[in-house]
Amino acid sequence: MPTYIVLLGPPGVGKGTQAKVLAEQTGLAHISSGELFRENTKKNTELGKLAKSYMDRGELVPDDVTIAMIRDRFTRSDCQKGAILDGFPRTPVQADALAELLKEFGGQVDVVPLITADDEVLIERLSGRWTCRANGHVFHARFNPPQKDGVCDLDGSELYQRDDDKAETVKRRIQVYQDQTAPLIAYYRSKGSLVEINGAQPIDRVTADLLAAIRHHHD
Ligand code: AP5
């Protein structure tokens, strides 16, 4: 049965960084709602323009638009084994929609790692983040620097700083997480799927804890 892993956690805690490694290690697809919105923004689609108007303010894109985009992503062939969900669901309405999508496409939410770190850690990570234009690979000026400034190690494309990583927008994003996404912690805990992971450790330690949690849930 297809397996879905939902990564929960505040902005900047390392969901995207870890999702990429976990996808490689598990063979599951990596689905990042934020990256899908940014791809649409880059292509200047109607969805991209709409999403950008919310993202630039640190607000969530409306549920109906987000759910339709994820449904479309589920139809791609790389999802047959399941996926690492990075940034979706982000509201109780989206969590219910995910349950419906899994009835339609088959599969189940296996484990929900909740990655946590203090706000100061999140702010430091987001203020030093550099993202690659071509594929969304993520670096950090101090914690994970690229070999050459401004250039992605993996595909050679330009690195840029996200518009929503400005200090004011980051504060709003953290608040929105507390208000709208944190209720999912109780939701998944009540289903027995939640596992807490200390995201304040170095990247490879967080990866090791995540892989152990995934394996443990499978056994
Ligand atoms: P999205 O792109 O999902 O952003 P986010 O959840 O705010 O998460 P980030 O990408 O900022 O952080 P991350 O946890 O992935 O951390 P990362 O690995 O990059 O969403 C953006 C916007 O899109 C939202 O605000 C909203 O508007 C919209 N949106 C998206 N999904 C939506 C949905 N479902 N519904 C409605 N709207 C939606 O790491 C951060 C930095 O730290 C990097 O520089 C990295 O190198 C570094 N780092 C990572 N781990 C470590 C570590 N262990 N030690 C040291 N440094 C580390």
Side-chain angles (χ1 to χ4, degrees):
M1 156 126 49
T3 295
Y4 288 83
I5 295 170
V6 173
L7 291 185
L8 272 186
V13 79
K15 300 181 299 295
T17 300
Q18 298 297 337
K20 284 198 159 50
V21 183
L22 295 181
E24 274 167 28
Q25 301 256 346
T26 59
L28 301 175
H30 172 200
I31 300 183
S32 159
S33 41
E35 260 182 55
L36 290 170
F37 287 134
R38 281 186 289 279
E39 276 169 25
N40 273 281
T41 303
K42 197 163 73 177
K43 292 184 194 146
N44 214 18
T45 66
E46 286 308 312
L47 171 62
K49 284 185 230 168
L50 176 81
K52 189 168 166 42
S53 68
Y54 290 93
M55 293 167 86
D56 283 352
R57 286 181 286 126
E59 303 293 336
L60 296 184
V61 180
D63 283 334
D64 54 343
V65 177
T66 304
I67 292 163
M69 177 180 75
I70 295 292
R71 188 187 179 287
D72 181 57
R73 180 66 184 81
F74 271 33
T75 63
R76 284 200 227 158
S77 59
D78 64 342
C79 295
Q80 271 166 8
K81 275 182 70 183
I84 312 279
L85 300 180
D86 159 16
F88 179 89
R90 228 166 167 114
T91 64
V93 171
Q94 292 181 18
D96 289 340
L98 173 61
E100 289 302 312
L101 285 174
L102 295 184
K103 280 187 205 155
E104 183 183 343
F105 289 90
Q108 62 182 25
V109 173
D110 200 38
V111 53
V112 180
L114 166 66
I115 313 177
T116 55
D118 290 344
D119 287 0
E120 303 84 76
V121 172
L122 307 177
I123 290 165
E124 190 182 16
R125 288 191 185 167
L126 293 176
S127 63
R129 170 164 63 186
W130 290 86
T131 304
C132 106
R133 287 231 184 259
N135 293 300
H137 297 121
V138 174
F139 298 86
H140 192 281
R142 206 170 121 212
F143 305 125
N144 183 21
Q147 286 175 2
K148 192 169 166 214
D149 275 357
V151 180
C152 178
D153 290 353
L154 298 152
D155 59 34
S157 77
E158 183 199 9
L159 299 179
Y160 74 103
Q161 289 193 291
R162 273 169 46 178
D163 286 341
D164 61 346
D165 282 347
K166 294 189 185 83
E168 277 315 300
T169 317
V170 165
K171 276 191 207 139
R172 182 67 195 140
R173 285 163 58 202
I174 292 172
Q175 189 60 47
V176 166
Y177 170 79
Q178 294 300 348
D179 294 346
Q180 298 185 49
T181 306
L184 296 187
I185 297 170
Y187 174 92
Y188 284 115
R189 186 175 280 132
S190 74
K191 294 186 182 300
S193 332
L194 199 84
V195 181
E196 291 191 38
I197 304 285
N198 175 8
Q201 311 174 86
I203 293 173
D204 55 349
R205 293 284 325 154
V206 179
T207 306
D209 285 358
L210 283 165
L211 286 171
I214 292 168
R215 250 180 252 123
H216 180 76
H217 248 258
H218 259 303
D219 294 342

mmCIF file of all heavy atoms in Angstrom, residues 136-172:
data_model
loop_
_atom_site.group_PDB
_atom_site.id
_atom_site.type_symbol
_atom_site.label_atom_id
_atom_site.label_comp_id
_atom_site.label_asym_id
_atom_site.label_seq_id
_atom_site.Cartn_x
_atom_site.Cartn_y
_atom_site.Cartn_z
ATOM 1 N N GLY A 136 15.076 24.279 -6.373
ATOM 2 C CA GLY A 136 14.730 24.505 -4.967
ATOM 3 C C GLY A 136 15.679 23.860 -3.969
ATOM 4 O O GLY A 136 15.314 23.693 -2.797
ATOM 5 N N HIS A 137 16.905 23.480 -4.399
ATOM 6 C CA HIS A 137 17.877 22.965 -3.414
ATOM 7 C C HIS A 137 18.193 24.078 -2.419
ATOM 8 O O HIS A 137 18.268 25.246 -2.793
ATOM 9 C CB HIS A 137 19.165 22.512 -4.122
ATOM 10 C CG HIS A 137 18.950 21.373 -5.071
ATOM 11 N ND1 HIS A 137 19.244 21.433 -6.413
ATOM 12 C CD2 HIS A 137 18.439 20.132 -4.858
ATOM 13 C CE1 HIS A 137 18.940 20.283 -6.988
ATOM 14 N NE2 HIS A 137 18.440 19.476 -6.073
ATOM 15 N N VAL A 138 18.412 23.677 -1.164
ATOM 16 C CA VAL A 138 18.515 24.681 -0.095
ATOM 17 C C VAL A 138 19.896 24.657 0.557
ATOM 18 O O VAL A 138 20.429 23.578 0.849
ATOM 19 C CB VAL A 138 17.430 24.389 0.969
ATOM 20 C CG1 VAL A 138 17.589 25.313 2.147
ATOM 21 C CG2 VAL A 138 16.050 24.558 0.372
ATOM 22 N N PHE A 139 20.455 25.851 0.773
ATOM 23 C CA PHE A 139 21.756 25.993 1.444
ATOM 24 C C PHE A 139 21.608 27.005 2.564
ATOM 25 O O PHE A 139 20.589 27.685 2.679
ATOM 26 C CB PHE A 139 22.818 26.478 0.431
ATOM 27 C CG PHE A 139 23.029 25.506 -0.694
ATOM 28 C CD1 PHE A 139 22.223 25.539 -1.830
ATOM 29 C CD2 PHE A 139 23.998 24.520 -0.597
ATOM 30 C CE1 PHE A 139 22.386 24.621 -2.855
ATOM 31 C CE2 PHE A 139 24.174 23.592 -1.613
ATOM 32 C CZ PHE A 139 23.367 23.642 -2.743
ATOM 33 N N HIS A 140 22.651 27.084 3.389
ATOM 34 C CA HIS A 140 22.666 28.101 4.437
ATOM 35 C C HIS A 140 24.057 28.720 4.493
ATOM 36 O O HIS A 140 25.059 27.982 4.468
ATOM 37 C CB HIS A 140 22.306 27.490 5.792
ATOM 38 C CG HIS A 140 22.033 28.522 6.829
ATOM 39 N ND1 HIS A 140 23.043 29.189 7.492
ATOM 40 C CD2 HIS A 140 20.866 29.050 7.277
ATOM 41 C CE1 HIS A 140 22.513 30.059 8.329
ATOM 42 N NE2 HIS A 140 21.185 29.999 8.220
ATOM 43 N N ALA A 141 24.094 30.046 4.566
ATOM 44 C CA ALA A 141 25.372 30.756 4.519
ATOM 45 C C ALA A 141 26.345 30.203 5.557
ATOM 46 O O ALA A 141 27.550 30.102 5.297
ATOM 47 C CB ALA A 141 25.138 32.241 4.763
ATOM 48 N N ARG A 142 25.850 29.798 6.728
ATOM 49 C CA ARG A 142 26.730 29.332 7.789
ATOM 50 C C ARG A 142 26.661 27.818 8.006
ATOM 51 O O ARG A 142 27.679 27.157 8.175
ATOM 52 C CB ARG A 142 26.330 30.041 9.086
ATOM 53 C CG ARG A 142 27.476 30.141 10.051
ATOM 54 C CD ARG A 142 27.134 31.057 11.207
ATOM 55 N NE ARG A 142 27.258 30.294 12.435
ATOM 56 C CZ ARG A 142 26.536 30.489 13.511
ATOM 57 N NH1 ARG A 142 25.608 31.420 13.529
ATOM 58 N NH2 ARG A 142 26.725 29.757 14.575
ATOM 59 N N PHE A 143 25.443 27.269 8.014
ATOM 60 C CA PHE A 143 25.289 25.872 8.433
ATOM 61 C C PHE A 143 25.451 24.858 7.303
ATOM 62 O O PHE A 143 25.676 23.682 7.559
ATOM 63 C CB PHE A 143 23.918 25.660 9.088
ATOM 64 C CG PHE A 143 23.669 26.596 10.234
ATOM 65 C CD1 PHE A 143 22.544 27.401 10.261
ATOM 66 C CD2 PHE A 143 24.574 26.681 11.279
ATOM 67 C CE1 PHE A 143 22.302 28.267 11.311
ATOM 68 C CE2 PHE A 143 24.351 27.550 12.340
ATOM 69 C CZ PHE A 143 23.215 28.350 12.355
ATOM 70 N N ASN A 144 25.274 25.327 6.063
ATOM 71 C CA ASN A 144 25.358 24.395 4.930
ATOM 72 C C ASN A 144 25.741 25.199 3.693
ATOM 73 O O ASN A 144 24.973 25.300 2.738
ATOM 74 C CB ASN A 144 23.986 23.710 4.759
ATOM 75 C CG ASN A 144 23.989 22.682 3.662
ATOM 76 O OD1 ASN A 144 25.037 22.184 3.265
ATOM 77 N ND2 ASN A 144 22.805 22.380 3.136
ATOM 78 N N PRO A 145 26.948 25.803 3.719
ATOM 79 C CA PRO A 145 27.291 26.743 2.641
ATOM 80 C C PRO A 145 27.569 26.025 1.313
ATOM 81 O O PRO A 145 28.116 24.915 1.321
ATOM 82 C CB PRO A 145 28.558 27.428 3.169
ATOM 83 C CG PRO A 145 29.111 26.508 4.198
ATOM 84 C CD PRO A 145 27.982 25.685 4.740
ATOM 85 N N PRO A 146 27.204 26.647 0.193
ATOM 86 C CA PRO A 146 27.560 26.067 -1.106
ATOM 87 C C PRO A 146 29.077 26.190 -1.302
ATOM 88 O O PRO A 146 29.711 27.053 -0.694
ATOM 89 C CB PRO A 146 26.807 26.955 -2.105
ATOM 90 C CG PRO A 146 26.645 28.263 -1.397
ATOM 91 C CD PRO A 146 26.532 27.948 0.067
ATOM 92 N N GLN A 147 29.626 25.315 -2.164
ATOM 93 C CA GLN A 147 31.083 25.382 -2.391
ATOM 94 C C GLN A 147 31.476 26.725 -2.986
ATOM 95 O O GLN A 147 32.514 27.277 -2.663
ATOM 96 C CB GLN A 147 31.517 24.232 -3.293
ATOM 97 C CG GLN A 147 31.497 22.920 -2.506
ATOM 98 C CD GLN A 147 31.808 21.710 -3.355
ATOM 99 O OE1 GLN A 147 32.074 21.820 -4.546
ATOM 100 N NE2 GLN A 147 31.755 20.550 -2.737
ATOM 101 N N LYS A 148 30.618 27.238 -3.888
ATOM 102 C CA LYS A 148 30.908 28.531 -4.510
ATOM 103 C C LYS A 148 29.742 29.471 -4.202
ATOM 104 O O LYS A 148 28.582 29.102 -4.439
ATOM 105 C CB LYS A 148 31.029 28.311 -6.035
ATOM 106 C CG LYS A 148 31.605 29.494 -6.757
ATOM 107 C CD LYS A 148 31.961 29.139 -8.197
ATOM 108 C CE LYS A 148 32.202 30.422 -8.953
ATOM 109 N NZ LYS A 148 31.774 30.336 -10.349
ATOM 110 N N ASP A 149 30.036 30.658 -3.673
ATOM 111 C CA ASP A 149 28.975 31.609 -3.311
ATOM 112 C C ASP A 149 28.005 31.834 -4.465
ATOM 113 O O ASP A 149 28.436 32.091 -5.595
ATOM 114 C CB ASP A 149 29.597 32.979 -2.950
ATOM 115 C CG ASP A 149 30.019 33.008 -1.489
ATOM 116 O OD1 ASP A 149 29.774 32.008 -0.791
ATOM 117 O OD2 ASP A 149 30.592 34.036 -1.070
ATOM 118 N N GLY A 150 26.719 31.762 -4.174
ATOM 119 C CA GLY A 150 25.709 32.124 -5.175
ATOM 120 C C GLY A 150 25.438 31.069 -6.225
ATOM 121 O O GLY A 150 24.653 31.296 -7.147
ATOM 122 N N VAL A 151 26.077 29.880 -6.123
ATOM 123 C CA VAL A 151 25.887 28.843 -7.151
ATOM 124 C C VAL A 151 25.509 27.527 -6.477
ATOM 125 O O VAL A 151 26.137 27.106 -5.509
ATOM 126 C CB VAL A 151 27.194 28.627 -7.967
ATOM 127 C CG1 VAL A 151 26.996 27.560 -9.033
ATOM 128 C CG2 VAL A 151 27.654 29.932 -8.594
ATOM 129 N N CYS A 152 24.468 26.855 -7.025
ATOM 130 C CA CYS A 152 24.023 25.573 -6.459
ATOM 131 C C CYS A 152 25.049 24.481 -6.744
ATOM 132 O O CYS A 152 25.434 24.277 -7.897
ATOM 133 C CB CYS A 152 22.662 25.197 -7.056
ATOM 134 S SG CYS A 152 22.062 23.602 -6.456
ATOM 135 N N ASP A 153 25.468 23.763 -5.698
ATOM 136 C CA ASP A 153 26.424 22.650 -5.851
ATOM 137 C C ASP A 153 25.852 21.547 -6.742
ATOM 138 O O ASP A 153 26.592 20.829 -7.397
ATOM 139 C CB ASP A 153 26.690 21.964 -4.492
ATOM 140 C CG ASP A 153 27.497 22.836 -3.553
ATOM 141 O OD1 ASP A 153 27.968 23.903 -3.984
ATOM 142 O OD2 ASP A 153 27.637 22.434 -2.381
ATOM 143 N N LEU A 154 24.533 21.371 -6.706
ATOM 144 C CA LEU A 154 23.934 20.185 -7.325
ATOM 145 C C LEU A 154 23.592 20.382 -8.789
ATOM 146 O O LEU A 154 23.684 19.443 -9.577
ATOM 147 C CB LEU A 154 22.689 19.773 -6.529
ATOM 148 C CG LEU A 154 23.051 19.386 -5.097
ATOM 149 C CD1 LEU A 154 21.903 19.630 -4.154
ATOM 150 C CD2 LEU A 154 23.492 17.933 -5.050
ATOM 151 N N ASP A 155 23.171 21.598 -9.168
ATOM 152 C CA ASP A 155 22.820 21.784 -10.587
ATOM 153 C C ASP A 155 23.409 23.047 -11.203
ATOM 154 O O ASP A 155 23.088 23.384 -12.340
ATOM 155 C CB ASP A 155 21.292 21.741 -10.770
ATOM 156 C CG ASP A 155 20.595 22.822 -9.953
ATOM 157 O OD1 ASP A 155 21.162 23.916 -9.790
ATOM 158 O OD2 ASP A 155 19.475 22.554 -9.466
ATOM 159 N N GLY A 156 24.256 23.781 -10.460
ATOM 160 C CA GLY A 156 24.951 24.941 -11.038
ATOM 161 C C GLY A 156 24.081 26.173 -11.224
ATOM 162 O O GLY A 156 24.553 27.196 -11.741
ATOM 163 N N SER A 157 22.800 26.107 -10.807
ATOM 164 C CA SER A 157 21.947 27.283 -11.036
ATOM 165 C C SER A 157 22.188 28.337 -9.959
ATOM 166 O O SER A 157 22.841 28.095 -8.949
ATOM 167 C CB SER A 157 20.473 26.877 -11.113
ATOM 168 O OG SER A 157 19.972 26.619 -9.822
ATOM 169 N N GLU A 158 21.611 29.524 -10.222
ATOM 170 C CA GLU A 158 21.825 30.662 -9.324
ATOM 171 C C GLU A 158 21.111 30.439 -7.988
ATOM 172 O O GLU A 158 20.020 29.876 -7.949
ATOM 173 C CB GLU A 158 21.234 31.899 -10.016
ATOM 174 C CG GLU A 158 21.418 33.187 -9.264
ATOM 175 C CD GLU A 158 20.430 34.259 -9.743
ATOM 176 O OE1 GLU A 158 19.504 33.922 -10.527
ATOM 177 O OE2 GLU A 158 20.568 35.403 -9.314
ATOM 178 N N LEU A 159 21.717 30.900 -6.900
ATOM 179 C CA LEU A 159 21.057 30.856 -5.590
ATOM 180 C C LEU A 159 20.441 32.229 -5.307
ATOM 181 O O LEU A 159 21.035 33.253 -5.643
ATOM 182 C CB LEU A 159 22.061 30.518 -4.491
ATOM 183 C CG LEU A 159 22.771 29.162 -4.607
ATOM 184 C CD1 LEU A 159 23.763 28.987 -3.456
ATOM 185 C CD2 LEU A 159 21.767 28.010 -4.599
ATOM 186 N N TYR A 160 19.251 32.232 -4.702
ATOM 187 C CA TYR A 160 18.591 33.506 -4.386
ATOM 188 C C TYR A 160 18.002 33.440 -2.982
ATOM 189 O O TYR A 160 17.832 32.349 -2.424
ATOM 190 C CB TYR A 160 17.507 33.833 -5.424
ATOM 191 C CG TYR A 160 16.258 32.999 -5.291
ATOM 192 C CD1 TYR A 160 15.091 33.521 -4.707
ATOM 193 C CD2 TYR A 160 16.223 31.673 -5.724
ATOM 194 C CE1 TYR A 160 13.940 32.751 -4.572
ATOM 195 C CE2 TYR A 160 15.084 30.899 -5.591
ATOM 196 C CZ TYR A 160 13.945 31.444 -5.010
ATOM 197 O OH TYR A 160 12.817 30.680 -4.861
ATOM 198 N N GLN A 161 17.671 34.614 -2.427
ATOM 199 C CA GLN A 161 17.005 34.659 -1.122
ATOM 200 C C GLN A 161 15.510 34.852 -1.352
ATOM 201 O O GLN A 161 15.103 35.736 -2.114
ATOM 202 C CB GLN A 161 17.591 35.770 -0.264
ATOM 203 C CG GLN A 161 19.005 35.409 0.194
ATOM 204 C CD GLN A 161 19.536 36.303 1.296
ATOM 205 O OE1 GLN A 161 19.801 37.472 1.048
ATOM 206 N NE2 GLN A 161 19.683 35.758 2.480
ATOM 207 N N ARG A 162 14.687 34.016 -0.723
ATOM 208 C CA ARG A 162 13.243 34.068 -0.949
ATOM 209 C C ARG A 162 12.656 35.388 -0.452
ATOM 210 O O ARG A 162 13.050 35.883 0.597
ATOM 211 C CB ARG A 162 12.566 32.878 -0.225
ATOM 212 C CG ARG A 162 12.535 31.639 -1.092
ATOM 213 C CD ARG A 162 12.127 30.397 -0.355
ATOM 214 N NE ARG A 162 10.961 30.518 0.508
ATOM 215 C CZ ARG A 162 10.441 29.505 1.197
ATOM 216 N NH1 ARG A 162 10.982 28.303 1.096
ATOM 217 N NH2 ARG A 162 9.400 29.680 1.979
ATOM 218 N N ASP A 163 11.671 35.916 -1.208
ATOM 219 C CA ASP A 163 11.008 37.172 -0.824
ATOM 220 C C ASP A 163 10.370 37.054 0.561
ATOM 221 O O ASP A 163 10.309 38.029 1.299
ATOM 222 C CB ASP A 163 9.889 37.522 -1.828
ATOM 223 C CG ASP A 163 10.458 38.013 -3.142
ATOM 224 O OD1 ASP A 163 11.640 38.416 -3.164
ATOM 225 O OD2 ASP A 163 9.713 37.996 -4.143
ATOM 226 N N ASP A 164 9.878 35.841 0.896
ATOM 227 C CA ASP A 164 9.171 35.710 2.178
ATOM 228 C C ASP A 164 10.119 35.413 3.335
ATOM 229 O O ASP A 164 9.672 35.116 4.438
ATOM 230 C CB ASP A 164 8.037 34.669 2.094
ATOM 231 C CG ASP A 164 8.508 33.260 1.741
ATOM 232 O OD1 ASP A 164 9.666 33.105 1.291
ATOM 233 O OD2 ASP A 164 7.725 32.316 1.917
ATOM 234 N N ASP A 165 11.433 35.512 3.120
ATOM 235 C CA ASP A 165 12.390 35.335 4.219
ATOM 236 C C ASP A 165 12.795 36.671 4.850
ATOM 237 O O ASP A 165 13.705 36.714 5.682
ATOM 238 C CB ASP A 165 13.631 34.564 3.744
ATOM 239 C CG ASP A 165 13.358 33.060 3.650
ATOM 240 O OD1 ASP A 165 12.317 32.604 4.175
ATOM 241 O OD2 ASP A 165 14.178 32.337 3.055
ATOM 242 N N LYS A 166 12.117 37.766 4.481
ATOM 243 C CA LYS A 166 12.351 39.048 5.161
ATOM 244 C C LYS A 166 11.868 38.935 6.612
ATOM 245 O O LYS A 166 10.864 38.254 6.885
ATOM 246 C CB LYS A 166 11.542 40.163 4.489
ATOM 247 C CG LYS A 166 11.985 40.479 3.075
ATOM 248 C CD LYS A 166 11.274 41.745 2.586
ATOM 249 C CE LYS A 166 11.597 42.003 1.142
ATOM 250 N NZ LYS A 166 10.742 41.222 0.214
ATOM 251 N N ALA A 167 12.567 39.633 7.523
ATOM 252 C CA ALA A 167 12.307 39.462 8.962
ATOM 253 C C ALA A 167 10.822 39.590 9.318
ATOM 254 O O ALA A 167 10.271 38.750 10.042
ATOM 255 C CB ALA A 167 13.137 40.460 9.755
ATOM 256 N N GLU A 168 10.137 40.624 8.806
ATOM 257 C CA GLU A 168 8.724 40.852 9.165
ATOM 258 C C GLU A 168 7.842 39.698 8.696
ATOM 259 O O GLU A 168 6.934 39.255 9.404
ATOM 260 C CB GLU A 168 8.215 42.162 8.532
ATOM 261 C CG GLU A 168 8.563 43.394 9.327
ATOM 262 C CD GLU A 168 8.298 43.217 10.826
ATOM 263 O OE1 GLU A 168 7.147 42.960 11.198
ATOM 264 O OE2 GLU A 168 9.265 43.295 11.618
ATOM 265 N N THR A 169 8.120 39.228 7.467
ATOM 266 C CA THR A 169 7.298 38.150 6.895
ATOM 267 C C THR A 169 7.553 36.846 7.653
ATOM 268 O O THR A 169 6.621 36.059 7.878
ATOM 269 C CB THR A 169 7.617 37.979 5.396
ATOM 270 O OG1 THR A 169 7.727 39.264 4.815
ATOM 271 C CG2 THR A 169 6.544 37.183 4.681
ATOM 272 N N VAL A 170 8.795 36.628 8.065
ATOM 273 C CA VAL A 170 9.119 35.413 8.825
ATOM 274 C C VAL A 170 8.322 35.397 10.133
ATOM 275 O O VAL A 170 7.730 34.374 10.499
ATOM 276 C CB VAL A 170 10.642 35.327 9.098
ATOM 277 C CG1 VAL A 170 10.938 34.300 10.179
ATOM 278 C CG2 VAL A 170 11.391 34.984 7.819
ATOM 279 N N LYS A 171 8.255 36.551 10.806
ATOM 280 C CA LYS A 171 7.492 36.613 12.070
ATOM 281 C C LYS A 171 6.038 36.247 11.826
ATOM 282 O O LYS A 171 5.419 35.500 12.579
ATOM 283 C CB LYS A 171 7.566 38.019 12.661
ATOM 284 C CG LYS A 171 8.811 38.223 13.468
ATOM 285 C CD LYS A 171 8.742 39.516 14.271
ATOM 286 C CE LYS A 171 10.152 40.011 14.516
ATOM 287 N NZ LYS A 171 10.312 41.444 14.375
ATOM 288 N N ARG A 172 5.474 36.785 10.740
ATOM 289 C CA ARG A 172 4.072 36.494 10.407
ATOM 290 C C ARG A 172 3.892 34.993 10.098
ATOM 291 O O ARG A 172 2.929 34.369 10.531
ATOM 292 C CB ARG A 172 3.634 37.357 9.218
ATOM 293 C CG ARG A 172 2.201 37.170 8.813
ATOM 294 C CD ARG A 172 1.221 37.664 9.878
ATOM 295 N NE ARG A 172 -0.129 37.167 9.629
ATOM 296 C CZ ARG A 172 -0.967 36.746 10.568
ATOM 297 N NH1 ARG A 172 -0.627 36.776 11.849
ATOM 298 N NH2 ARG A 172 -2.160 36.301 10.243
#
